[in-house]
Amino acid sequence: MSTTIPTPTQHRRNGGDLVVESLAALGAGTVFGLPGQHALGVFDALRRSTLRYVGLRVENNAGFAADAYARTTHGVAPLLVSTGPGALMTLAALQEAAAGSAAVLAIGSQVPLAGMGGGRHGYLHELTDQSASFRGVVKSVHTARTASQIPSAVAAAWESALSAPHGPVWLEIPQDVLLAEADVPPVSELAVRPKALLPRPELIAAAATRLTEARRPVILAGGGVVRAGAEAELLALAEQLRAPVATTFGGKGAFPWEHPLSLQSWLEDRYTTTFLEDADTLLVVGSGLGELSSNYHTFRPLGRVVQIEADLGKLESNHAALGIHADARAALAALVKEVGEREPRDAGRAEDAGAPGPRAGAVGPPTPEAAVSDLLARVRDRIAGQHLDLEQQVLASVRDALPDGAVSCWDMTILAYWAWSAFDPRRTNALHSAQGAGGLGYGFPAALGAAVADPARPVLAVSGDGGAMYSIAELATARQYDLPVTWLIVDDGGYGILREYMTDAFGAPTATELTRPDFVALAESFGVPAVRTAPDRLRTDLAAALAAPGPSVVVLPAHLRMFAPTHLDS
């Protein structure tokens, strides 16, 4: 059963119009989605709006595209989908958006009002409680049951998505409310005030005392710094304190890669873990010190920890700390001011005390900058001893081929795991990956979303052959909208990282080997130019694809390996 779609007549404004008018009034310019029967009222209203619609072929991929659009713009990305299966298909993407603090406003339809409430009336797509499926994934859940509720519900959802920490929200509206005539004036203005999450002054003062008195301060910067746009404040504080800075995988780009104080992102390296442990005061900004950021929970700080985190649930969730519940930018700006107003640090203190050394009790190099240089040299030496020349060659070729101003989006694949540690994004907010929730299929649809946000720049997507199969349908999307996305598919005939994990753990892999298509021929069938390359030609072929207009595919048959883990013997 479903509400009958009205026959074409002279249009009278309905609930769908209120949705798109509300989005436009809040500043939206682009919406992503995929239509379905219950949602046709809002999709029809798009025809009468100024909003740009970008339609993908699978709802999950539409969610990934919206995620990257939100990350790239630091704004809200509306996502329009239908009821039941269409709604549920977004959950994996919304989990990634939650993990990555991407402000996705997902708007789904519902069965007609008469079917809501769990009565099991047998409507098409009916769920006993659709919104319950989203409550454990998104920041907030909203429902509009009448036309007059729609503008306020959209505004409340928008405000929630943009309040620190940014994150996805879910709003659902019944089919008959979207279709019914709305006796409500057109929406011309909506005011939202995302909640400012400011630090408490006494906590800033205490943190500044600990940092300025520390002899070996170190900073770990997470994704919260990037989402808050706090890179300038982080740089200023690090230089004030002469504190080495490591970035988490989600925080890549938060600190200049080649800065003398940059520890880069080698967090799955025991040398780096030890360096962070040996700080007498470690400032953690925008990270919950979760599994990947703590080298699989082997991190054991010997000194004191100060943690700045906008997500209250992550504050001191893994380690005791002076916890500051605040937006990263606001807290870092306050710390820069507080530290700057204090007596300058004794110029000889760092030299006399030594920067973090190999282990407590050992005197390290004479300056923080020398300590950073020494650490990175030891990391390079460790990698060099593992005969991973092919992997380093491939990653270097990708870096050389990618223009400095370009964005890259990485799926869950071995080359991406290398990139988390070893890739210099060369600009802030320029590398996005699915390392938050860890689901397959992120890279290509995310790259499409990033390209929609900034079509003047080429965008690189990186997938393995297994992850690529999640997103093949979106080659049609790339061609339809002529988006400047180059998709690098590293084809090793299976789920490569799972093959490694299973071989290491059980002696042989199971369910990891895949029959896959001819990716070049498949891309060409969509009208997308494609080339099969090799490691020695990758730099040239990838650069040419990125320089060409519109979408393209580069396929690299290669069996890459991961560098050895360092957490297993800890």
Side-chain angles (χ1 to χ4, degrees):
M1 297 173 59
S2 60
T3 298
T4 302
I5 306 300
T7 57
T9 58
Q10 184 172 353
H11 176 72
R12 296 182 178 180
R13 292 180 60 258
N14 59 24
D17 289 292
L18 289 171
V19 172
V20 298
E21 290 168 4
S22 298
L23 291 173
L26 289 164
T30 301
V31 299
F32 298 86
L34 197 157
Q37 180 173 334
H38 288 165
L40 293 182
V42 69
F43 279 85
D44 177 63
L46 286 173
R47 289 190 301 111
R48 297 180 292 279
S49 79
T50 59
L51 298 177
R52 179 189 183 190
Y53 170 67
V54 179
L56 285 91
R57 302 311 197 263
V58 184
E59 288 89 352
N60 191 45
N61 293 334
F64 284 144
D67 170 295
Y69 183 93
R71 297 190 200 199
T72 302
T73 62
H74 288 292
V76 175
L79 171 65
L80 305 178
V81 295
S82 191
T83 318
L88 297 178
M89 282 289 288
T90 68
L91 283 171
L94 295 177
Q95 184 187 6
E96 180 56 48
S101 296
V104 176
L105 169 48
I107 302 177
S109 56
Q110 250 288 17
V111 297
L113 273 169
M116 294 181 65
R120 304 186 70 173
H121 299 286
Y123 284 96
L124 181 70
H125 306 326
E126 181 180 343
L127 291 167
T128 303
D129 187 353
Q130 179 174 279
S131 63
S133 299
F134 293 85
R135 289 196 179 97
V137 176
V138 300
K139 282 185 66 179
S140 58
V141 171
H142 309 259
T143 303
R145 291 175 176 266
T146 66
S148 60
Q149 292 178 7
I150 289 175
S152 294
V154 174
W158 185 287
E159 184 174 290
S160 175
L162 268 190
S163 295
H166 291 185
V169 297
W170 174 255
L171 166 62
E172 58 186 38
I173 307 170
Q175 179 192 26
D176 47 351
V177 175
L178 292 172
L179 292 173
E181 183 176 352
D183 186 20
V184 178
V187 182
S188 59
E189 183 178 346
L190 282 174
V192 294
R193 295 177 179 82
K195 296 177 182 176
L197 193 53
L198 303 178
R200 288 168 26 212
E202 71 274 15
L203 292 175
I204 292 297
T209 297
R210 293 188 183 189
L211 289 166
T212 54
E213 292 179 353
R215 303 181 77 80
R216 299 185 304 279
V218 178
I219 300 173
L220 177 62
V225 175
V226 178
R227 297 284 83 79
E231 296 87 351
E233 291 80 3
L234 173 65
L235 177 61
L237 183 63
E239 291 182 340
Q240 280 179 323
L241 298 169
R242 283 183 71 193
V245 179
T247 60
T248 70
F249 304 149
K252 290 186 73 69
F255 196 75
W257 189 259
E258 297 293 345
H259 192 284
L261 292 171
S262 175
L263 296 165
Q264 301 178 1
S265 302
W266 288 96
L267 295 190
E268 291 188 61
D269 181 276
R270 190 63 221 174
Y271 294 137
T272 302
T273 306
T274 298
F275 194 103
L276 297 173
E277 288 175 338
D278 284 345
D280 57 355
T281 297
L282 176 68
L283 173 62
V284 180
V285 190
S287 170
L289 285 172
E291 183 177 39
L292 297 181
S293 302
S294 63
N295 203 355
Y296 299 91
H297 293 299
T298 61
F299 169 71
R300 299 287 185 271
L302 300 175
R304 296 190 293 187
V305 177
V306 176
Q307 184 184 13
I308 298 169
E309 177 55 58
D311 187 336
L312 185 60
K314 294 180 180 178
L315 202 62
E316 291 193 89
S317 61
N318 284 300
H319 295 278
L322 174 64
I324 302 175
H325 183 215
D327 171 74
R329 187 174 186 180
L332 286 172
L335 272 176
V336 168
K337 183 175 185 295
E338 184 74 19
V339 169
E341 291 175 350
R342 301 195 175 206
E343 290 294 320
R345 295 178 65 195
D346 181 353
R349 282 169 63 187
E351 287 81 351
D352 295 340
R359 187 36 68 189
V363 177
T367 67
E369 294 82 0
V372 168
S373 180
D374 176 73
L375 169 69
L376 294 178
R378 285 186 286 141
V379 172
R380 285 193 298 269
D381 288 345
R382 183 178 72 81
I383 298 298
Q386 296 179 35
H387 308 293
L388 296 166
D389 295 341
L390 172 62
E391 290 74 10
Q392 295 181 81
Q393 175 192 351
V394 168
L395 193 64
S397 294
V398 173
R399 178 60 277 175
D400 291 345
L402 188 67
D404 286 354
V407 170
S408 59
C409 297
W410 304 70
D411 213 332
M412 299 295 288
T413 186
I414 286 177
L415 190 59
Y417 299 168
W418 272 91
W420 293 348
S421 295
F423 194 81
D424 175 7
R426 293 189 185 167
R427 62 177 275 234
T428 183
N429 200 31
L431 186 152
H432 308 302
S433 77
Q435 60 89 28
L440 275 173
Y442 178 85
F444 188 54
L448 299 179
V452 170
D454 188 358
R457 299 177 187 268
V459 181
L460 174 68
V462 180
S463 301
D465 57 290
M469 292 301 293
Y470 279 61
S471 309
I472 287 296
E474 305 312 336
L475 284 168
T477 303
R479 182 74 283 165
Q480 179 172 344
Y481 296 99
D482 201 31
L483 296 171
V485 174
T486 294
W487 192 6
L488 173 61
I489 301 174
V490 182
D491 185 359
D492 66 0
Y495 298 120
I497 192 64
L498 299 180
R499 179 192 291 137
E500 284 204 9
Y501 290 162
M502 293 195 76
T503 300
D504 291 344
F506 310 115
T510 301
T512 61
E513 307 314 297
L514 301 174
T515 297
R516 69 275 196 201
D518 179 339
F519 286 107
V520 170
L522 184 57
E524 290 174 342
S525 75
F526 285 92
V528 175
V531 62
R532 184 174 287 100
T533 190
D536 61 340
R537 303 196 311 272
L538 176 61
R539 179 185 289 106
T540 300
D541 288 342
L542 194 57
L546 286 160
S552 57
V553 171
V554 176
V555 181
L556 173 66
H559 190 146
L560 305 181
R561 297 184 298 129
M562 274 301 293
F563 49 81
T566 64
H567 65 279
L568 299 178
D569 298 325
S570 300

